[in-house]
């Protein structure tokens, strides 16, 4: 690869001026003439109930009310708010058992906060006041908060298709005996010198993106349904809305507004169906829904909590002989991506270590909790919390250095990847481990912190992981990109790739500029408009840079090739002998005076005239355009590790985060500061999952902590000193060698901090989050036992 | 609801308005004055997205009644730019790539300006402590803290230049 001009540089983010000045326009900031306001009526009395009657008579009389809508006033068509079902073949979806069982407004309330109706009024305040006047009669049903409860033989069935309320188990058609893995686990355990086994609980963590969910929809005079929302997957939302409302896609327009964070919460649809249903009820008038923060915990998907059992066998020398695991996921009230999550949780397990025998069973059960869906890491943090603690205990009992063990046993180039049947194409985990260990002073600290006494005890822990770059070949991968060169040789790219804040519009623009050979200012991305943009899956599976980047690169390289072919004709030279400088002059290598500007070529292509005397055109006709419909045939997972140092107060149970070092094998950093930003932000969420973050419920299923005071996230002064190391080892398939970084940052802090606490206290915590209360309790129990 | 006549001075401009006595400053800024740069994140004083400066003090505008700001000097993110020049804090946020989704950023910027006006040379610990109450879910705070440090240096050297 030659010298790079834009890739690898910390260029100014394309969106950053608008964001620091407050001028970026989020959905809540939009106003439209004649706009009405919608308020969703949520069941806040019960977590499980039948709606016996819904009485709007008082509400209708309230000032400003335009319409009241219940379940029978909107389409009765059911849907699945997740989009995973769109990404699997019909056959696969059937095997996986994906269902569409959601209603826009429900008569069977399945969680605290389920939507049962809506008010449309002239102002937001009027809509809220009217909503308070709606009279609802419920028939309460028993509340199930765990898979054990909901799978009991006499439990009320959530949907007829899923007997026993088991939403999912790995299908036998694809996974013999409903298991993922290889070898003979039961036989192998007989050969083991040491078996480590435990049952874990991983918490219901909420994404807590800072922008609440806000929407506008308008059923316009042309008969088109328009929706404005900060959805992560605008194109798939477009398809889903068209199907739900039985309209051709050409009559639905999806506008993606600036996304104030996603992390999976906006992976599929959230309240797009509701706002569109409201708009269809009042043709010609835009309707806006602004969600109060306290409802965000109720109405958008969270991480799946899981009951996760694992057993691992080792030989005396540390050789891992077998891993057996069962993860039972709490689904919440609806199915969503019940199939995919329970599967990937096992994929991350099979992708990590060289173990001869492995068996994983993944299941999901309905529960009366707000829905669970995608959250950054998609099962990987759960597996990290469990697997990395099991490994740690094995190493401790066998007296093996956990760093050396991981170096020896992690999978690498040529090994079967998490996908099972494809191989890793690059892996620089050893370099990550060496650099990380050096940066935090692993060796000395690890030795120093063994067997401490006293009130304040320190510990250092480590965790490794691997993630994904896109969803191929498991499920659909596809991005289209159109590049047009304007008459002045500036470039316009049309694509539907999302930027949730992770910076992809900046990094994709860098890739475009580099591939075209143009200055970055001359490249514009036209995004967020379903009329103009082609197909793209949207932001999930850490795919945007890897898949979108390759789509952009191919389209731009093709546009540049066309430009060079036209130049070659003009200059009477071979394409291979041409080069272009940053002033966009194309010249013959070695004789720079033989040159033509890109602008001259582009302009003539558009303003193409025929000489009336000679009949000759003034150059090659036609605007230079390129279009690719890119479906990757590869996936290049990144590898990474995190080291964390903590200090535990044995009297209060408090954990102080002293230092965190992460090192990621990202292939190539297209924009180093953006890569670091993913790792830093990921650390805040991963440490939070391990230490403080969990949605919890009373016995009636009421969410008890849907506020930032009660749902504790780490603040600026809770964060440890951080060092984030980018290890660049270009991957043969990634754009300019890049692999993903988006989700990965969250994963390994989870296991690393648990292992640090283990070293400090000598106690392993199987239940997340590891709060001071749990630590104190465990310390007391240990003292009593001793 | 009772209506009150108030005079709000926002970003140097005066507004004579009628506001409902129960309206927060955040609601009035966003809905009545059409200044949506100040964000709603929780409405209960827990996230800092709505931070504004009132007479130089940082406040959560979601907890402040608009009527209580009568006659006082309010500054928000969109008003920090002077003569086409970004505020040094905004400039530093850009240079440090301290922004991701951006939703917390107007509040973060205003909060940081409030700090540096009181304490031009804060330690890292002081910065982190001051930013507690402003939640960012994207950045892990690392680059935001770096940006505040760098803004403090920028402002100090601008001061020296102005004096010298
Ligand atoms: S909106 Fe005011 S503190 Fe959150
Ligand atoms: S940049 Fe997204 S919340 Fe701070």
């Amino acid at each position: 690869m030659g010298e790079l001009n834009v890739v690898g540089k910390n260029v100014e983010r394309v969106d950053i001026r608008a964001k620091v000045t407050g001028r970026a326009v989020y959905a809540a900031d939009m106003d439209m003439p004649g706009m009405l306001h919608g308020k969703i009526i949520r069941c806040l009395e019960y977590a499980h109930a039948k709606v016996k009657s819904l009485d709007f008579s008082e509400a209708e009389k309230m000032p400003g009310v335009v319409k009241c809508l219940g379940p029978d006033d909107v389409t009765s068509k059911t849907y699945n708010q997740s989009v995973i079902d769109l990404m699997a073949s019909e056959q696969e979806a059937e095997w996986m058992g994906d269902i569409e069982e959601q209603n826009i407004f429900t008569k069977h309330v399945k969680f605290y906060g389920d939507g049962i109706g809506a008010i449309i009024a002239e102002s937001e305040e009027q809509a809220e006041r009217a909503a308070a006047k709606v009279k609802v009669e419920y028939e309460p049903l028993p509340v199930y908060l765990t898979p054990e409860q909901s799978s009991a033989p006499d439990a009320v069935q959530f949907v007829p298709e899923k007997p026993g309320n088991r939403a999912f188990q790995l299908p036998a058609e694809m996974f013999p005996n409903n298991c993922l893995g290889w070898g003979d686990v039961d036989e192998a355990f007989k050969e083991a010198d040491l078996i480590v086994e435990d049952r874990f609980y991983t918490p219901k963590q909420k994404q807590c993106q800072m922008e609440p969910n806000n929407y506008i929809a308008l059923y316009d005079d042309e008969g088109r349904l328009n929706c404005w929302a900060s959805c992560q997957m605008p194109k798939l939302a477009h398809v889903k809305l068209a199907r739900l409302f039985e309209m051709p896609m050409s009559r639905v327009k999806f506008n993606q507004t600036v996304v104030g964070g996603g992390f999976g919460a906006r992976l599929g649809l959230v309240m797009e169906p509701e706002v569109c249903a409201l708009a269809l009820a009042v043709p010609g008038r835009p309707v806006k829904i602004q969600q109060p923060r306290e409802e965000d915990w109720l109405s958008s998907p969270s991480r799946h909590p899981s009951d996760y059992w694992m057993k691992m066998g080792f030989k005396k020398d540390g050789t891992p002989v077998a891993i057996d695991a069962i993860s039972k996921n709490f689904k919440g009230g609806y199915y969503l991506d019940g199939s995919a999550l329970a599967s990937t949780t096992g994929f991350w397990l099979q992708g990590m270590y060289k173990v001869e025998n492995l068996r994983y069973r993944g299941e999901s059960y309905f529960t009366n909790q707000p829905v669970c869906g995608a959250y950054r890491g998609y099962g990987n943090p759960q597996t990290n919390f469990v697997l990395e603690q099991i490994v740690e205990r094995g190493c401790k009992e066998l007296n093996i250095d956990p760093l050396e063990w991981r170096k020896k046993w992690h999978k690498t180039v040529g090994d079967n990847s998490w996908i099972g049947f494809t191989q890793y194409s690059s892996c620089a985990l050893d370099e990550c481990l060496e650099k990380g260990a050096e940066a935090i002073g692993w060796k000395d600290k690890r030795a120093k912190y063994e067997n401490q006494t006293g009130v304040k005890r320190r510990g250092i822990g480590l965790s490794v992981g691997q993630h994904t770059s896109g969803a191929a070949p498991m499920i659909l991968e596809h991005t289209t990109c159109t590049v047009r060169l304007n008459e002045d040789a500036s470039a316009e790219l049309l694509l539907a790739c999302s930027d949730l804040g992770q910076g992809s519009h900046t990094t994709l623009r860098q890739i475009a500029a580099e591939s075209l050979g143009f200055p970055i200012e001359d490249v514009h991305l036209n995004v967020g408009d379903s009329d103009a943009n082609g197909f793209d899956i949207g932001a999930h599976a850490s795919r945007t840079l890897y898949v979108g980047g390759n789509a952009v690169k191919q389209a731009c390289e093709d546009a540049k090739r066309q430009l060079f072919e036209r130049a070659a004709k003009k200059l009477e030279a071979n394409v291979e002998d041409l080069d272009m400088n940053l002033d966009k002059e194309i010249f013959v290598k070695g004789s720079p005076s033989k040159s033509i500007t890109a602008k001259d070529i582009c302009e003539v292509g558009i303003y193409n005239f025929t000489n009336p005397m000679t009949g000759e055109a003034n150059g090659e006709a036609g605007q230079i355009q390129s279009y690719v419909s890119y479906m990757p045939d590869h996936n290049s997972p990144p590898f990474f590790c995190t080291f964390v140092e903590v200090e535990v107060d044995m009297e209060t149970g408090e954990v102080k985060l002293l230092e965190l070092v992460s090192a990621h094998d990202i292939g190539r950093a297209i924009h180093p500061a953006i890569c670091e930003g993913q790792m830093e932000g990921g650390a805040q969420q991963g440490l939070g999952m391990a230490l403080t973050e969990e949605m919890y419920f009373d016995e009636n299923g009421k969410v008890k902590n849907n506020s930032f005071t009660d749902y504790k996230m780490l603040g600026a002064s809770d964060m440890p000193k951080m060092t984030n190391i980018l290890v660049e080892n270009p991957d043969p398939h990634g754009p300019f060698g890049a692999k993903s970084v988006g989700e990965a940052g969250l994963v390994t802090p989870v296991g690393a901090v648990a292992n640090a606490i283990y070293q400090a206290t000598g106690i392993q915590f199987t239940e997340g989050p590891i709060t001071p209360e749990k630590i104190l309790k465990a310390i007391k129990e240990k003292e009593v036992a001793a | 609801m009772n209506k009150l006549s108030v005079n709000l001075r926002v970003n140097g401009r005066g507004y004579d308005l009628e506001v409902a006595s129960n309206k927060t400053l955040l609601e009035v800024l966003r809905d009545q004055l059409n200044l949506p740069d100040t964000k709603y994140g929780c409405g209960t004083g827990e996230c800092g997205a709505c931070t504004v400066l009132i007479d130089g003090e940082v406040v959560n505008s979601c907890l402040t009644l608009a009527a209580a700001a009568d006659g006082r000097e309010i500054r928000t993110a969109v008003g920090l730019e002077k003569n086409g020049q970004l505020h040094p804090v905004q400039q530093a946020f850009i240079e440090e790539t301290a922004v991701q989704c951006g939703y917390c950023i107007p509040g973060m910027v205003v909060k940081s300006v409030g700090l540096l006006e009181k304490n031009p040379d804060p330690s890292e610990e002081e910065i982190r402590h001051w930013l507690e109450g402003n939640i960012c879910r994207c950045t892990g705070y690392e680059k935001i803290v770096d940006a505040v440090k760098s803004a403090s240096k920028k402002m100090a050297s601008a001061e020296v230049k102005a004096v010298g």
Side-chain angles (χ1 to χ4, degrees), chain A residues 26 29 676 693 709 717, chain B residues 30 39 46 132 137 143:
Chain A
Y26 299 82
D29 306 334
E676 288 160 12
E693 295 185 35
T709 304
S717 55
Chain B
R30 291 185 60 84
K39 302 298 179 208
E46 301 168 293
E132 278 293 331
R137 191 53 155 171
K143 297 202 183 320

Side-chain angles (χ1 to χ4, degrees), chain A residues 13 19 26 208-211 259-263 500-501, chain B residues 98-106 108 134-141 144:
Chain A
R13 281 182 62 123
K19 286 176 173 175
Y26 299 82
C208 294
Q209 80 294 339
M210 287 313 294
E211 182 207 9
V259 185
F263 318 117
L500 320 180
Chain B
V99 176
Q100 291 188 31
C101 84
Y103 200 78
C104 71
I105 295 297
M108 283 286 184
N134 282 54
I135 301 174
C136 176
R137 191 53 155 171
C138 298
T139 64
Y141 304 98
I144 292 180

Side-chain angles (χ1 to χ4, degrees), chain A residues 248-299:
Chain A
M249 285 173 69
S250 54
R251 276 182 54 211
V252 178
K253 180 170 188 212
F254 198 93
N255 306 276
Q256 187 188 38
T257 51
V258 178
V259 185
F263 318 117
R266 292 155 166 170
L267 194 102
L269 303 170
V270 185
M271 283 151 63
E272 287 87 350
E274 288 91 324
V275 76
C276 289
L278 268 53
L280 286 164
V282 287
R285 295 195 69 179
V287 182
K288 184 178 195 176
I289 297 180
Q290 302 196 74
Q291 187 178 47
R293 170 61 63 182
E294 59 274 19
E295 289 182 14
D296 181 66
W297 273 273
L298 313 180
S299 65

Side-chain angles (χ1 to χ4, degrees), chain A residues 172-361:
Chain A
E173 292 87 345
M174 297 167 73
F175 304 96
N177 302 315
N178 310 100
C179 296
L180 181 77
W182 53 83
D184 185 337
V185 169
D186 298 317
E187 270 310 303
F189 278 125
K190 292 182 191 155
E191 309 290 308
D193 297 316
L194 170 72
I195 288 179
V196 183
E197 177 184 351
D198 222 324
R199 190 174 160 190
F200 294 77
Y201 172 77
T202 64
K204 187 169 170 78
Q205 186 186 21
K206 191 74 192 93
Q207 297 85 349
C208 294
Q209 80 294 339
M210 287 313 294
E211 182 207 9
N213 293 308
N214 304 301
Y215 309 86
I216 300 177
L218 165 68
Y219 187 48
D220 69 22
D221 292 325
E222 235 181 277
R224 298 187 90 210
L225 178 61
N226 302 266
C227 181
W228 290 263
S230 53
C231 175
Q232 289 183 220
M233 298 178 134
K235 201 62 211 179
L236 298 189
H238 180 204
V239 183
K240 282 237 154 178
L241 291 173
R243 289 190 189 173
L244 175 60
F245 296 106
E246 301 176 90
M247 294 170 76
M249 285 173 69
S250 54
R251 276 182 54 211
V252 178
K253 180 170 188 212
F254 198 93
N255 306 276
Q256 187 188 38
T257 51
V258 178
V259 185
F263 318 117
R266 292 155 166 170
L267 194 102
L269 303 170
V270 185
M271 283 151 63
E272 287 87 350
E274 288 91 324
V275 76
C276 289
L278 268 53
L280 286 164
V282 287
R285 295 195 69 179
V287 182
K288 184 178 195 176
I289 297 180
Q290 302 196 74
Q291 187 178 47
R293 170 61 63 182
E294 59 274 19
E295 289 182 14
D296 181 66
W297 273 273
L298 313 180
S299 65
S300 62
S302 68
R303 191 182 294 293
H304 292 67
S306 69
D307 173 346
Y308 201 145
W309 169 85
M310 192 178 286
K311 179 174 167 182
M312 187 165 175
F314 299 86
K315 289 276 195 200
K316 272 201 197 77
D317 65 356
T319 306
V321 296
I323 296 178
D324 196 7
I326 303 175
S327 114
K328 287 190 182 180
N329 294 282
F330 298 44
K331 212 30 277 183
Y334 296 98
Y335 183 82
L336 282 83
D337 42 1
S339 55
L341 187 282
S343 308
T344 58
T345 303
F347 295 159
W348 315 125
L349 179 64
Q350 74 174 353
M352 200 60 241
Y353 294 119
K354 295 176 192 166
V355 51
E356 304 255 306
N357 304 279
L358 184 140
R359 177 168 65 196
Y360 165 85
R361 282 160 283 183

Side-chain angles (χ1 to χ4, degrees), chain A residues 544-769:
Chain A
T544 304
L545 180 83
Y546 182 82
V547 181
N550 269 333
V552 163
K553 185 164 182 277
Q554 284 188 4
C556 290
E557 283 171 352
D558 182 59
K560 186 178 177 187
R561 180 191 54 78
Q562 295 181 45
L563 191 62
F564 272 37
E565 279 172 3
R566 291 188 189 187
K569 273 190 207 155
K570 277 269 184 198
L571 299 174
E572 293 172 342
N574 292 321
V575 170
E576 307 77 64
D577 297 332
L578 299 182
D579 203 350
M580 181 167 64
N581 60 29
L582 274 182
D583 292 325
K584 293 189 281 186
E585 282 163 350
I586 302 168
F587 56 90
V588 180
K589 284 179 222 162
S591 36
S593 59
K594 266 182 94 178
S595 74
I596 184 167
T597 64
K599 176 176 174 288
D600 283 342
I601 296 169
C602 293
E603 193 173 71
V604 162
I606 292 172
Y607 302 97
N608 198 269
F609 303 107
T610 306
N611 183 327
M613 315 310 284
T614 65
E616 266 176 43
N618 61 343
E620 195 161 333
Q623 180 169 17
I624 294 181
Q625 295 208 47
S626 173
Y627 167 78
V628 298
S629 179
Y630 173 71
M631 295 186 174
D633 54 7
H634 200 83
N635 191 328
S636 310
F639 284 84
F640 39 91
C641 63
T642 296
F643 297 80
V644 173
E645 185 184 353
V646 299
E647 184 176 272
V648 181
D649 185 317
M650 301 296 280
E651 281 172 359
T652 63
E654 230 160 288
V655 175
K656 198 165 164 202
L657 292 164
L658 301 174
E659 190 170 355
L660 175 144
V661 174
S662 284
H664 283 222
D665 156 28
I666 41 97
R668 179 188 293 278
I670 303 293
H671 188 298
I674 283 179
C675 295
E676 288 160 12
Q678 288 304 300
M679 294 159 74
E680 291 155 0
Q684 190 265 1
Q685 298 185 9
L687 295 169
M689 172 175 165
L691 297 178
T692 63
E693 295 185 35
E694 177 182 26
M695 283 173 69
Y696 51 91
F697 301 85
D698 69 13
E699 69 277 12
N700 299 317
K702 184 176 185 321
V703 181
K704 284 178 71 179
N705 60 337
N706 51 337
S707 74
F708 290 135
T709 304
D710 299 324
Y711 182 97
K712 170 70 184 146
M713 292 185 279
L714 302 184
S717 55
D718 301 319
M719 291 298 293
K721 172 181 170 221
M722 284 201 275
T723 307
N724 287 290
I725 301 166
L726 302 172
V727 172
E728 294 193 281
N729 171 46
D731 177 85
H733 306 277
F736 298 98
K739 306 197 278 187
S740 79
V741 66
E743 291 173 90
L746 187 152
V747 178
T748 41
V750 180
V753 71
N755 287 337
I757 294 172
Y758 181 33
Q759 198 200 15
T761 62
I763 303 170
Q764 262 193 341
F765 290 86
T766 54
E767 210 178 291

